[in-house]
Amino acid sequence: MKTVKRVGASGQISLGKEFAGRTVLIDNTEPGVWVIKTAQTIPDSELWLHHPEAAARLDRAVTAMARPPEEADLDALEQHLRRDPHGSRW
């Protein structure tokens, strides 16, 4: 849908109340041509969550949380923890 808008004296364009408070991206593809898209921003401190490695780890964690708990073999765990990566004891 094409709409005609007039840029006001202050340089502003109203997109309508349905876009009030929204974040938009404005791409100036060439002089006189603007493409406006609604967007959601990600805080820098949360950006790591959107990297493929982090997303994969989060998916594994969510999958693991859905499984019923299992009884642990504490003796086997203790033996595993007492060995260093080269197989020697403490």
Side-chain angles (χ1 to χ4, degrees), residues 33-66:
V33 177
W34 301 327
V35 177
I36 301 173
K37 299 178 183 179
T38 57
Q40 295 180 0
T41 56
I42 303 170
D44 287 343
S45 63
E46 297 174 14
L47 192 56
W48 68 273
L49 293 166
H50 298 273
H51 289 263
E53 302 85 21
R57 290 179 68 194
L58 289 170
D59 286 343
R60 285 194 307 272
V62 169
T63 300
M65 290 173 53

Side-chain angles (χ1 to χ4, degrees), residues 13 15 24-27 34-38:
I13 300 172
L15 299 177
V24 296
L25 297 174
I26 302 172
D27 187 12
W34 301 327
V35 177
I36 301 173
K37 299 178 183 179
T38 57

